[in-house]
Amino acid sequence: MKKVINITLAGMVFAVEEDAFNALSTYLEKITASLDSNCDIEEVKGDIETAIAEKLIARNKNKNMAVTITEVEAIMEELGDPSDFNEGPVSSKDNATETNNSDAKEDVSKRLYRDPDTGLVAGVCSGIAQYFNIDPVIVRLVFIFAAFLNGFGFLVYAILWLIVPAAKTTEQKFAMRGDSVTLKEITDRVKKNVKSVDTEQVKTKSDKAWFAARPILKKVVDFIGLCARYVFTFARYIVGIAFVLAATFGITLLIMASTVLWLSNRPLSLPGAESLMELVFADVSGYVLFISLLFVLLVPFLIVLLTGSSILAKRNYFTIKKSVALFAIWLVAMATAGSIGTVYITDMEIRNRLQTIVESEICMNPTCEEVRDINY
Amino acid sequence: MRKGFLEFPVLLIIGAKATYAPDILQQLKKSNLIVVEGTLYPLLSRLKRYGLVEYVWEESKSGPPRKMYSLTKEGESILVALEESWQTFNTSINKLIKKYEKSN
């Protein structure tokens, strides 16, 4: 024989055995203690009482049968431990991390990135849209419109493609959107946006027109984007191949010319070339001038070659080391060629001057005068 | 995995059809998403406080009156946004999984 206590749960009367009652009341107390301020404690308590009531009714306990401890334990098992109820940011610890997150959020400033994931061509428009928090369709429309202005939009797009980095890492993607990781923060952010959109919607009729036109415009924009993508891919291959070909051609020509110059004494039938060659290969400094000139010409060709292959392979082959090395080589070659070249030029000028002096002296000769006499 | 994540499936369930807490629980259990039933109630109250869901009281023949939950307009738009971000998340993870599987 057990004592029975009558209780109400969600307005329903239940007869509960004493031990079951004790278990149930401690359970409900625990729930109250564990619930955070984030939700209305009274309401949740009511909800849980309703849930318990429904479970008891399902077990046919509201009529003449008393609720026993086994049933209460079974229900408690189903509902779970109150300490596990709060799965959101609840405890003081979680609150601390939350504030940390919001601090971090302030630190993570929004940055402009390209978004290749949602982009149509290279994600430039998508990135801009995310940066300014506007509809990408609008940005795309602007670019398409601008493309008709003598290809201005096209050019701007290509330039932005080159300068704006793509958001690759998760961190970059979050920086692109200017938000942080937790679901709650995403929800908050969206909520804010929705609110502003809602008010705007109410405000203007043009917005309604926009929402009606958007799906059609989106299709058109998507199609043009797809075409642009093909055009850009095609252009990429053409430009890349042209660069590589031009560079290879240039380098081959340069090497051929230099070998010919090097090996033969009289390479060119040009007048004056012979004396030039003699002059150049007269001593060591001539060779140095020759080699440095070769490098001065070779480095730009190499840069064109690297650019071409970078464009073709969609990879940047210009590492910092390579760029610095190329630039250094070019500078050294330029300086050497410049200094030796000036020496040679002044040398040649002196020679030329000497020659003219010699020539004029020759003119002073009687033979010259004879000629003059004849002319008179 | 389930911590801080249940909001999304709950919103999905309510979004599909306005429903009661026991029904939501049943669907969550079917898809193996919930272990502790009690979790749902604070969660629903929180969603209500955020203004994402609302409820109306409905009389029940067999038991106490129940709360019939449905999405608010805001809840709907947030669900769309959540779905979108989930899809992107999903594709990224799937890409990584494929890459991982290929490497093995």
Side-chain angles (χ1 to χ4, degrees):
Chain A
M1 194 187 76
K2 274 177 179 173
K3 199 176 165 190
V4 163
I5 298 162
N6 273 330
I7 58 159
T8 59
L9 286 171
M12 313 285 288
V13 181
F14 296 93
V16 186
E17 287 178 359
E18 199 176 18
D19 47 355
F21 170 80
N22 288 335
L24 204 57
S25 50
T26 31
Y27 183 71
L28 286 171
E29 267 164 34
K30 259 199 209 162
I31 287 171
T32 324
S34 72
L35 284 176
D36 63 315
S37 52
N38 215 0
C39 46
D40 299 300
I41 293 169
E42 284 308 312
E43 184 172 17
V44 174
K45 245 171 82 182
D47 284 346
I48 287 165
E49 282 182 10
T50 313
I52 295 169
E54 278 173 344
K55 281 175 191 299
L56 288 172
I57 290 161
R59 289 174 166 82
N60 274 323
K61 284 296 164 190
N62 64 328
K63 294 283 150 68
N64 298 318
M65 306 277 280
V67 178
T68 61
I69 182 80
T70 29
E71 275 133 18
V72 168
E73 271 168 356
I75 286 167
M76 275 161 33
E77 180 93 2
E78 277 173 30
L79 281 170
D81 192 51
S83 55
D84 294 333
F85 277 18
N86 286 305
E87 37 75 66
V90 192
S91 65
S92 55
K93 230 191 215 170
D94 282 349
N95 278 333
T97 52
E98 205 188 3
T99 46
N100 280 344
N101 278 346
S102 57
D103 284 347
K105 200 175 159 188
E106 278 164 27
D107 289 339
V108 177
S109 53
K110 214 170 185 183
R111 287 195 55 193
L112 182 61
Y113 282 104
R114 287 190 290 114
D115 187 8
D117 294 344
T118 59
L120 293 178
V121 181
V124 170
C125 293
S126 183
I128 292 170
Q130 289 183 58
Y131 187 76
F132 292 109
N133 221 342
I134 44 177
D135 195 330
V137 175
I138 295 172
V139 184
R140 286 176 186 139
L141 276 173
V142 169
F143 267 93
I144 289 166
F145 181 73
F148 286 109
L149 304 170
N150 294 326
F152 177 70
F154 224 61
L155 187 73
V156 171
Y157 193 96
I159 291 168
L160 284 173
W161 190 347
L162 287 176
I163 8 182
V164 179
K168 280 173 189 158
T169 64
T170 319
E171 206 180 322
Q172 286 172 336
K173 280 175 188 173
F174 277 113
M176 173 175 68
R177 289 180 209 120
D179 59 16
S180 46
V181 198
T182 61
L183 191 68
K184 194 187 160 290
E185 273 163 354
I186 292 172
T187 322
D188 288 349
R189 193 173 59 84
V190 174
K191 217 155 67 177
K192 269 182 213 158
N193 289 346
V194 168
K195 265 181 192 159
S196 59
V197 168
D198 274 349
T199 47
E200 274 168 30
Q201 254 178 320
V202 176
K203 264 184 209 162
T204 54
K205 279 181 184 172
S206 60
D207 272 8
K208 266 185 190 170
W210 164 248
F211 274 103
R214 194 183 177 276
I216 308 155
L217 283 172
K218 193 180 181 295
K219 267 185 189 165
V220 174
V221 166
D222 284 357
F223 179 71
I224 294 172
L226 193 71
C227 294
R229 195 186 189 133
Y230 284 123
V231 169
F232 271 114
T233 316
F234 185 70
R236 187 168 64 82
Y237 278 112
I238 293 293
V239 171
I241 289 168
F243 270 45
V244 171
L245 277 183
T248 348
F249 189 69
I251 291 169
T252 328
L253 213 67
L254 204 63
I255 290 169
M256 269 168 65
S258 53
T259 23
V260 168
L261 275 172
W262 197 288
L263 291 176
S264 70
N265 285 326
R266 296 187 58 181
L268 303 164
S269 51
L270 285 168
E274 197 186 339
S275 57
L276 188 73
M277 286 335 313
E278 277 172 5
L279 187 76
V280 168
F281 292 117
D283 51 17
V284 184
S285 65
Y287 281 99
V288 175
L289 173 68
F290 179 72
I291 290 167
S292 49
L293 270 177
L294 189 68
F295 272 105
V296 166
L297 291 174
L298 193 65
V299 168
F301 278 125
L302 279 176
I303 289 169
V304 172
L305 184 68
L306 275 175
T307 315
S309 32
S310 295
I311 292 170
L312 276 181
K314 267 185 162 180
R315 256 189 68 190
N316 191 6
Y317 286 116
F318 285 97
T319 54
I320 294 170
K321 268 187 196 168
K322 251 185 238 172
S323 316
V324 168
L326 276 175
F327 188 63
I329 289 170
W330 189 78
L331 265 188
V332 168
M334 198 65 182
T336 331
S339 49
I340 300 176
T342 9
V343 171
Y344 268 99
I345 286 163
T346 41
D347 216 28
M348 272 166 81
E349 267 176 11
I350 291 163
R351 273 186 201 208
N352 283 340
R353 229 176 272 165
L354 279 174
Q355 219 168 345
T356 43
I357 292 163
V358 169
E359 269 170 15
S360 57
E361 270 175 10
I362 289 168
C363 276
M364 296 295 177
N365 284 345
T367 41
C368 241
E369 277 166 18
E370 272 171 31
V371 176
R372 261 187 221 161
D373 286 340
I374 293 164
N375 279 342
Y376 283 113
Chain B
M1 178 65 195
R2 291 180 187 92
K3 283 217 168 193
F5 168 71
L6 261 180
E7 278 94 343
F8 184 35
V10 167
L11 283 175
L12 281 174
I13 290 166
I14 299 172
K17 188 177 163 274
T19 189
Y20 316 105
D23 191 36
I24 297 168
L25 276 174
Q26 208 189 342
Q27 290 194 52
L28 286 176
K29 275 182 177 171
K30 227 193 266 172
S31 24
N32 286 321
L33 283 168
I34 200 167
V35 185
V36 186
E37 277 187 28
T39 314
L40 182 69
Y41 301 103
L43 193 151
L44 280 173
S45 129
R46 217 176 312 135
L47 288 178
K48 199 200 119 215
R49 246 177 55 143
Y50 291 155
L52 306 185
V53 300
E54 56 194 0
Y55 61 77
V56 283
W57 286 102
E58 289 218 343
E59 287 298 324
S60 157
K61 278 171 196 164
S62 57
R66 298 158 136 189
K67 286 172 181 173
M68 171 93 140
Y69 287 93
S70 59
L71 287 189
T72 59
K73 258 196 170 176
E74 245 182 80
E76 274 169 27
S77 9
I78 279 183
L79 187 55
V80 170
L82 275 178
E83 201 193 327
E84 223 165 76
S85 54
W86 173 257
Q87 298 287 17
T88 34
F89 177 73
N90 203 22
T91 34
S92 333
I93 290 291
N94 277 338
K95 266 186 206 165
L96 289 178
I97 289 173
K98 264 183 201 165
K99 207 175 161 192
Y100 169 75
E101 279 173 351
K102 258 186 200 171
S103 69
N104 283 331

mmCIF file with all atom_site columns, all heavy atoms in Angstrom, chain A residues 22-42:
data_model
loop_
_atom_site.group_PDB
_atom_site.id
_atom_site.type_symbol
_atom_site.label_atom_id
_atom_site.label_alt_id
_atom_site.label_comp_id
_atom_site.label_asym_id
_atom_site.label_entity_id
_atom_site.label_seq_id
_atom_site.pdbx_PDB_ins_code
_atom_site.Cartn_x
_atom_site.Cartn_y
_atom_site.Cartn_z
_atom_site.occupancy
_atom_site.B_iso_or_equiv
_atom_site.pdbx_formal_charge
_atom_site.auth_seq_id
_atom_site.auth_comp_id
_atom_site.auth_asym_id
_atom_site.auth_atom_id
_atom_site.pdbx_PDB_model_num
ATOM 1   N N   . ASN A 1 22 ? 7.974  12.371 -5.367  1.00 0.00 ? 22 ASN A N   1
ATOM 2   C CA  . ASN A 1 22 ? 9.252  12.954 -4.953  1.00 0.00 ? 22 ASN A CA  1
ATOM 3   C C   . ASN A 1 22 ? 10.240 13.021 -6.113  1.00 0.00 ? 22 ASN A C   1
ATOM 4   O O   . ASN A 1 22 ? 10.899 14.038 -6.332  1.00 0.00 ? 22 ASN A O   1
ATOM 5   C CB  . ASN A 1 22 ? 9.852  12.135 -3.806  1.00 0.00 ? 22 ASN A CB  1
ATOM 6   C CG  . ASN A 1 22 ? 9.071  12.348 -2.522  1.00 0.00 ? 22 ASN A CG  1
ATOM 7   O OD1 . ASN A 1 22 ? 8.429  13.386 -2.344  1.00 0.00 ? 22 ASN A OD1 1
ATOM 8   N ND2 . ASN A 1 22 ? 9.094  11.344 -1.646  1.00 0.00 ? 22 ASN A ND2 1
ATOM 9   N N   . ALA A 1 23 ? 10.308 11.910 -6.851  1.00 0.00 ? 23 ALA A N   1
ATOM 10  C CA  . ALA A 1 23 ? 11.231 11.857 -7.990  1.00 0.00 ? 23 ALA A CA  1
ATOM 11  C C   . ALA A 1 23 ? 10.862 12.925 -9.014  1.00 0.00 ? 23 ALA A C   1
ATOM 12  O O   . ALA A 1 23 ? 11.729 13.660 -9.517  1.00 0.00 ? 23 ALA A O   1
ATOM 13  C CB  . ALA A 1 23 ? 11.188 10.471 -8.634  1.00 0.00 ? 23 ALA A CB  1
ATOM 14  N N   . LEU A 1 24 ? 9.572  13.039 -9.265  1.00 0.00 ? 24 LEU A N   1
ATOM 15  C CA  . LEU A 1 24 ? 9.103  13.992 -10.278 1.00 0.00 ? 24 LEU A CA  1
ATOM 16  C C   . LEU A 1 24 ? 9.374  15.439 -9.864  1.00 0.00 ? 24 LEU A C   1
ATOM 17  O O   . LEU A 1 24 ? 9.826  16.260 -10.668 1.00 0.00 ? 24 LEU A O   1
ATOM 18  C CB  . LEU A 1 24 ? 7.589  13.782 -10.494 1.00 0.00 ? 24 LEU A CB  1
ATOM 19  C CG  . LEU A 1 24 ? 7.015  14.232 -11.827 1.00 0.00 ? 24 LEU A CG  1
ATOM 20  C CD1 . LEU A 1 24 ? 7.732  13.550 -12.981 1.00 0.00 ? 24 LEU A CD1 1
ATOM 21  C CD2 . LEU A 1 24 ? 5.527  13.914 -11.879 1.00 0.00 ? 24 LEU A CD2 1
ATOM 22  N N   . SER A 1 25 ? 9.108  15.737 -8.591  1.00 0.00 ? 25 SER A N   1
ATOM 23  C CA  . SER A 1 25 ? 9.302  17.134 -8.174  1.00 0.00 ? 25 SER A CA  1
ATOM 24  C C   . SER A 1 25 ? 10.776 17.514 -8.158  1.00 0.00 ? 25 SER A C   1
ATOM 25  O O   . SER A 1 25 ? 11.139 18.631 -8.566  1.00 0.00 ? 25 SER A O   1
ATOM 26  C CB  . SER A 1 25 ? 8.643  17.400 -6.819  1.00 0.00 ? 25 SER A CB  1
ATOM 27  O OG  . SER A 1 25 ? 9.033  16.416 -5.904  1.00 0.00 ? 25 SER A OG  1
ATOM 28  N N   . THR A 1 26 ? 11.650 16.579 -7.757  1.00 0.00 ? 26 THR A N   1
ATOM 29  C CA  . THR A 1 26 ? 13.085 16.919 -7.817  1.00 0.00 ? 26 THR A CA  1
ATOM 30  C C   . THR A 1 26 ? 13.501 17.124 -9.274  1.00 0.00 ? 26 THR A C   1
ATOM 31  O O   . THR A 1 26 ? 14.305 18.022 -9.575  1.00 0.00 ? 26 THR A O   1
ATOM 32  C CB  . THR A 1 26 ? 13.978 15.820 -7.212  1.00 0.00 ? 26 THR A CB  1
ATOM 33  O OG1 . THR A 1 26 ? 13.372 14.562 -7.405  1.00 0.00 ? 26 THR A OG1 1
ATOM 34  C CG2 . THR A 1 26 ? 14.216 16.048 -5.739  1.00 0.00 ? 26 THR A CG2 1
ATOM 35  N N   . TYR A 1 27 ? 12.939 16.292 -10.114 1.00 0.00 ? 27 TYR A N   1
ATOM 36  C CA  . TYR A 1 27 ? 13.276 16.408 -11.553 1.00 0.00 ? 27 TYR A CA  1
ATOM 37  C C   . TYR A 1 27 ? 12.893 17.787 -12.084 1.00 0.00 ? 27 TYR A C   1
ATOM 38  O O   . TYR A 1 27 ? 13.692 18.469 -12.725 1.00 0.00 ? 27 TYR A O   1
ATOM 39  C CB  . TYR A 1 27 ? 12.544 15.308 -12.323 1.00 0.00 ? 27 TYR A CB  1
ATOM 40  C CG  . TYR A 1 27 ? 12.865 15.267 -13.800 1.00 0.00 ? 27 TYR A CG  1
ATOM 41  C CD1 . TYR A 1 27 ? 14.115 14.828 -14.237 1.00 0.00 ? 27 TYR A CD1 1
ATOM 42  C CD2 . TYR A 1 27 ? 11.924 15.663 -14.749 1.00 0.00 ? 27 TYR A CD2 1
ATOM 43  C CE1 . TYR A 1 27 ? 14.402 14.775 -15.575 1.00 0.00 ? 27 TYR A CE1 1
ATOM 44  C CE2 . TYR A 1 27 ? 12.208 15.623 -16.085 1.00 0.00 ? 27 TYR A CE2 1
ATOM 45  C CZ  . TYR A 1 27 ? 13.455 15.178 -16.507 1.00 0.00 ? 27 TYR A CZ  1
ATOM 46  O OH  . TYR A 1 27 ? 13.753 15.134 -17.838 1.00 0.00 ? 27 TYR A OH  1
ATOM 47  N N   . LEU A 1 28 ? 11.668 18.221 -11.767 1.00 0.00 ? 28 LEU A N   1
ATOM 48  C CA  . LEU A 1 28 ? 11.205 19.530 -12.254 1.00 0.00 ? 28 LEU A CA  1
ATOM 49  C C   . LEU A 1 28 ? 12.014 20.673 -11.646 1.00 0.00 ? 28 LEU A C   1
ATOM 50  O O   . LEU A 1 28 ? 12.313 21.666 -12.318 1.00 0.00 ? 28 LEU A O   1
ATOM 51  C CB  . LEU A 1 28 ? 9.719  19.704 -11.938 1.00 0.00 ? 28 LEU A CB  1
ATOM 52  C CG  . LEU A 1 28 ? 8.787  18.870 -12.836 1.00 0.00 ? 28 LEU A CG  1
ATOM 53  C CD1 . LEU A 1 28 ? 7.362  18.920 -12.325 1.00 0.00 ? 28 LEU A CD1 1
ATOM 54  C CD2 . LEU A 1 28 ? 8.857  19.324 -14.281 1.00 0.00 ? 28 LEU A CD2 1
ATOM 55  N N   . GLU A 1 29 ? 12.416 20.491 -10.388 1.00 0.00 ? 29 GLU A N   1
ATOM 56  C CA  . GLU A 1 29 ? 13.247 21.508 -9.750  1.00 0.00 ? 29 GLU A CA  1
ATOM 57  C C   . GLU A 1 29 ? 14.600 21.622 -10.443 1.00 0.00 ? 29 GLU A C   1
ATOM 58  O O   . GLU A 1 29 ? 15.110 22.717 -10.691 1.00 0.00 ? 29 GLU A O   1
ATOM 59  C CB  . GLU A 1 29 ? 13.463 21.167 -8.272  1.00 0.00 ? 29 GLU A CB  1
ATOM 60  C CG  . GLU A 1 29 ? 12.448 21.829 -7.363  1.00 0.00 ? 29 GLU A CG  1
ATOM 61  C CD  . GLU A 1 29 ? 12.430 21.181 -5.985  1.00 0.00 ? 29 GLU A CD  1
ATOM 62  O OE1 . GLU A 1 29 ? 13.509 20.744 -5.511  1.00 0.00 ? 29 GLU A OE1 1
ATOM 63  O OE2 . GLU A 1 29 ? 11.336 21.079 -5.403  1.00 0.00 ? 29 GLU A OE2 1
ATOM 64  N N   . LYS A 1 30 ? 15.144 20.459 -10.762 1.00 0.00 ? 30 LYS A N   1
ATOM 65  C CA  . LYS A 1 30 ? 16.440 20.422 -11.454 1.00 0.00 ? 30 LYS A CA  1
ATOM 66  C C   . LYS A 1 30 ? 16.355 21.150 -12.787 1.00 0.00 ? 30 LYS A C   1
ATOM 67  O O   . LYS A 1 30 ? 17.275 21.868 -13.181 1.00 0.00 ? 30 LYS A O   1
ATOM 68  C CB  . LYS A 1 30 ? 16.837 18.967 -11.703 1.00 0.00 ? 30 LYS A CB  1
ATOM 69  C CG  . LYS A 1 30 ? 17.856 18.392 -10.741 1.00 0.00 ? 30 LYS A CG  1
ATOM 70  C CD  . LYS A 1 30 ? 18.425 17.198 -11.430 1.00 0.00 ? 30 LYS A CD  1
ATOM 71  C CE  . LYS A 1 30 ? 18.918 16.098 -10.590 1.00 0.00 ? 30 LYS A CE  1
ATOM 72  N NZ  . LYS A 1 30 ? 19.037 14.851 -11.371 1.00 0.00 ? 30 LYS A NZ  1
ATOM 73  N N   . ILE A 1 31 ? 15.229 20.933 -13.456 1.00 0.00 ? 31 ILE A N   1
ATOM 74  C CA  . ILE A 1 31 ? 15.036 21.587 -14.755 1.00 0.00 ? 31 ILE A CA  1
ATOM 75  C C   . ILE A 1 31 ? 15.051 23.106 -14.584 1.00 0.00 ? 31 ILE A C   1
ATOM 76  O O   . ILE A 1 31 ? 15.758 23.824 -15.303 1.00 0.00 ? 31 ILE A O   1
ATOM 77  C CB  . ILE A 1 31 ? 13.714 21.128 -15.408 1.00 0.00 ? 31 ILE A CB  1
ATOM 78  C CG1 . ILE A 1 31 ? 13.868 19.700 -15.920 1.00 0.00 ? 31 ILE A CG1 1
ATOM 79  C CG2 . ILE A 1 31 ? 13.318 22.055 -16.551 1.00 0.00 ? 31 ILE A CG2 1
ATOM 80  C CD1 . ILE A 1 31 ? 12.576 19.072 -16.378 1.00 0.00 ? 31 ILE A CD1 1
ATOM 81  N N   . THR A 1 32 ? 14.307 23.569 -13.594 1.00 0.00 ? 32 THR A N   1
ATOM 82  C CA  . THR A 1 32 ? 14.263 25.017 -13.347 1.00 0.00 ? 32 THR A CA  1
ATOM 83  C C   . THR A 1 32 ? 15.665 25.544 -13.068 1.00 0.00 ? 32 THR A C   1
ATOM 84  O O   . THR A 1 32 ? 16.050 26.617 -13.554 1.00 0.00 ? 32 THR A O   1
ATOM 85  C CB  . THR A 1 32 ? 13.378 25.324 -12.126 1.00 0.00 ? 32 THR A CB  1
ATOM 86  O OG1 . THR A 1 32 ? 12.285 24.415 -12.127 1.00 0.00 ? 32 THR A OG1 1
ATOM 87  C CG2 . THR A 1 32 ? 12.866 26.740 -12.178 1.00 0.00 ? 32 THR A CG2 1
ATOM 88  N N   . ALA A 1 33 ? 16.423 24.772 -12.311 1.00 0.00 ? 33 ALA A N   1
ATOM 89  C CA  . ALA A 1 33 ? 17.764 25.223 -11.940 1.00 0.00 ? 33 ALA A CA  1
ATOM 90  C C   . ALA A 1 33 ? 18.694 25.252 -13.148 1.00 0.00 ? 33 ALA A C   1
ATOM 91  O O   . ALA A 1 33 ? 19.562 26.121 -13.246 1.00 0.00 ? 33 ALA A O   1
ATOM 92  C CB  . ALA A 1 33 ? 18.328 24.304 -10.862 1.00 0.00 ? 33 ALA A CB  1
ATOM 93  N N   . SER A 1 34 ? 18.501 24.309 -14.048 1.00 0.00 ? 34 SER A N   1
ATOM 94  C CA  . SER A 1 34 ? 19.461 24.191 -15.149 1.00 0.00 ? 34 SER A CA  1
ATOM 95  C C   . SER A 1 34 ? 19.122 25.092 -16.328 1.00 0.00 ? 34 SER A C   1
ATOM 96  O O   . SER A 1 34 ? 19.978 25.358 -17.177 1.00 0.00 ? 34 SER A O   1
ATOM 97  C CB  . SER A 1 34 ? 19.545 22.742 -15.629 1.00 0.00 ? 34 SER A CB  1
ATOM 98  O OG  . SER A 1 34 ? 18.376 22.419 -16.328 1.00 0.00 ? 34 SER A OG  1
ATOM 99  N N   . LEU A 1 35 ? 17.889 25.559 -16.371 1.00 0.00 ? 35 LEU A N   1
ATOM 100 C CA  . LEU A 1 35 ? 17.516 26.377 -17.529 1.00 0.00 ? 35 LEU A CA  1
ATOM 101 C C   . LEU A 1 35 ? 18.198 27.733 -17.468 1.00 0.00 ? 35 LEU A C   1
ATOM 102 O O   . LEU A 1 35 ? 18.339 28.332 -16.407 1.00 0.00 ? 35 LEU A O   1
ATOM 103 C CB  . LEU A 1 35 ? 15.998 26.560 -17.580 1.00 0.00 ? 35 LEU A CB  1
ATOM 104 C CG  . LEU A 1 35 ? 15.211 25.345 -18.073 1.00 0.00 ? 35 LEU A CG  1
ATOM 105 C CD1 . LEU A 1 35 ? 13.725 25.615 -17.996 1.00 0.00 ? 35 LEU A CD1 1
ATOM 106 C CD2 . LEU A 1 35 ? 15.621 24.968 -19.477 1.00 0.00 ? 35 LEU A CD2 1
ATOM 107 N N   . ASP A 1 36 ? 18.569 28.221 -18.586 1.00 0.00 ? 36 ASP A N   1
ATOM 108 C CA  . ASP A 1 36 ? 19.252 29.507 -18.629 1.00 0.00 ? 36 ASP A CA  1
ATOM 109 C C   . ASP A 1 36 ? 18.244 30.624 -18.870 1.00 0.00 ? 36 ASP A C   1
ATOM 110 O O   . ASP A 1 36 ? 17.085 30.391 -19.190 1.00 0.00 ? 36 ASP A O   1
ATOM 111 C CB  . ASP A 1 36 ? 20.284 29.513 -19.755 1.00 0.00 ? 36 ASP A CB  1
ATOM 112 C CG  . ASP A 1 36 ? 19.620 29.361 -21.092 1.00 0.00 ? 36 ASP A CG  1
ATOM 113 O OD1 . ASP A 1 36 ? 18.741 28.490 -21.199 1.00 0.00 ? 36 ASP A OD1 1
ATOM 114 O OD2 . ASP A 1 36 ? 19.944 30.109 -22.017 1.00 0.00 ? 36 ASP A OD2 1
ATOM 115 N N   . SER A 1 37 ? 18.728 31.831 -18.758 1.00 0.00 ? 37 SER A N   1
ATOM 116 C CA  . SER A 1 37 ? 17.844 32.986 -18.934 1.00 0.00 ? 37 SER A CA  1
ATOM 117 C C   . SER A 1 37 ? 17.483 33.201 -20.398 1.00 0.00 ? 37 SER A C   1
ATOM 118 O O   . SER A 1 37 ? 16.668 34.042 -20.723 1.00 0.00 ? 37 SER A O   1
ATOM 119 C CB  . SER A 1 37 ? 18.537 34.234 -18.405 1.00 0.00 ? 37 SER A CB  1
ATOM 120 O OG  . SER A 1 37 ? 19.824 34.330 -18.983 1.00 0.00 ? 37 SER A OG  1
ATOM 121 N N   . ASN A 1 38 ? 18.135 32.404 -21.237 1.00 0.00 ? 38 ASN A N   1
ATOM 122 C CA  . ASN A 1 38 ? 17.936 32.572 -22.668 1.00 0.00 ? 38 ASN A CA  1
ATOM 123 C C   . ASN A 1 38 ? 16.511 32.232 -23.114 1.00 0.00 ? 38 ASN A C   1
ATOM 124 O O   . ASN A 1 38 ? 16.048 32.646 -24.159 1.00 0.00 ? 38 ASN A O   1
ATOM 125 C CB  . ASN A 1 38 ? 18.947 31.698 -23.410 1.00 0.00 ? 38 ASN A CB  1
ATOM 126 C CG  . ASN A 1 38 ? 19.421 32.351 -24.678 1.00 0.00 ? 38 ASN A CG  1
ATOM 127 O OD1 . ASN A 1 38 ? 18.994 33.451 -24.993 1.00 0.00 ? 38 ASN A OD1 1
ATOM 128 N ND2 . ASN A 1 38 ? 20.291 31.679 -25.394 1.00 0.00 ? 38 ASN A ND2 1
ATOM 129 N N   . CYS A 1 39 ? 15.848 31.382 -22.314 1.00 0.00 ? 39 CYS A N   1
ATOM 130 C CA  . CYS A 1 39 ? 14.475 31.046 -22.679 1.00 0.00 ? 39 CYS A CA  1
ATOM 131 C C   . CYS A 1 39 ? 13.578 31.308 -21.475 1.00 0.00 ? 39 CYS A C   1
ATOM 132 O O   . CYS A 1 39 ? 14.043 31.384 -20.353 1.00 0.00 ? 39 CYS A O   1
ATOM 133 C CB  . CYS A 1 39 ? 14.390 29.590 -23.108 1.00 0.00 ? 39 CYS A CB  1
ATOM 134 S SG  . CYS A 1 39 ? 15.248 28.474 -22.036 1.00 0.00 ? 39 CYS A SG  1
ATOM 135 N N   . ASP A 1 40 ? 12.318 31.462 -21.724 1.00 0.00 ? 40 ASP A N   1
ATOM 136 C CA  . ASP A 1 40 ? 11.384 31.708 -20.634 1.00 0.00 ? 40 ASP A CA  1
ATOM 137 C C   . ASP A 1 40 ? 11.243 30.448 -19.806 1.00 0.00 ? 40 ASP A C   1
ATOM 138 O O   . ASP A 1 40 ? 10.693 29.450 -20.263 1.00 0.00 ? 40 ASP A O   1
ATOM 139 C CB  . ASP A 1 40 ? 10.033 32.118 -21.194 1.00 0.00 ? 40 ASP A CB  1
ATOM 140 C CG  . ASP A 1 40 ? 10.154 33.391 -21.999 1.00 0.00 ? 40 ASP A CG  1
ATOM 141 O OD1 . ASP A 1 40 ? 10.574 34.398 -21.413 1.00 0.00 ? 40 ASP A OD1 1
ATOM 142 O OD2 . ASP A 1 40 ? 9.853  33.364 -23.212 1.00 0.00 ? 40 ASP A OD2 1
ATOM 143 N N   . ILE A 1 41 ? 11.749 30.520 -18.564 1.00 0.00 ? 41 ILE A N   1
ATOM 144 C CA  . ILE A 1 41 ? 11.794 29.332 -17.727 1.00 0.00 ? 41 ILE A CA  1
ATOM 145 C C   . ILE A 1 41 ? 10.395 28.781 -17.485 1.00 0.00 ? 41 ILE A C   1
ATOM 146 O O   . ILE A 1 41 ? 10.158 27.579 -17.607 1.00 0.00 ? 41 ILE A O   1
ATOM 147 C CB  . ILE A 1 41 ? 12.502 29.645 -16.387 1.00 0.00 ? 41 ILE A CB  1
ATOM 148 C CG1 . ILE A 1 41 ? 13.987 29.957 -16.674 1.00 0.00 ? 41 ILE A CG1 1
ATOM 149 C CG2 . ILE A 1 41 ? 12.387 28.486 -15.420 1.00 0.00 ? 41 ILE A CG2 1
ATOM 150 C CD1 . ILE A 1 41 ? 14.728 30.535 -15.510 1.00 0.00 ? 41 ILE A CD1 1
ATOM 151 N N   . GLU A 1 42 ? 9.472  29.679 -17.187 1.00 0.00 ? 42 GLU A N   1
ATOM 152 C CA  . GLU A 1 42 ? 8.104  29.241 -16.887 1.00 0.00 ? 42 GLU A CA  1
ATOM 153 C C   . GLU A 1 42 ? 7.498  28.504 -18.071 1.00 0.00 ? 42 GLU A C   1
ATOM 154 O O   . GLU A 1 42 ? 6.871  27.461 -17.930 1.00 0.00 ? 42 GLU A O   1
ATOM 155 C CB  . GLU A 1 42 ? 7.231  30.450 -16.505 1.00 0.00 ? 42 GLU A CB  1
ATOM 156 C CG  . GLU A 1 42 ? 7.492  30.977 -15.101 1.00 0.00 ? 42 GLU A CG  1
ATOM 157 C CD  . GLU A 1 42 ? 7.423  29.875 -14.040 1.00 0.00 ? 42 GLU A CD  1
ATOM 158 O OE1 . GLU A 1 42 ? 6.444  29.094 -14.059 1.00 0.00 ? 42 GLU A OE1 1
ATOM 159 O OE2 . GLU A 1 42 ? 8.358  29.776 -13.221 1.00 0.00 ? 42 GLU A OE2 1
#
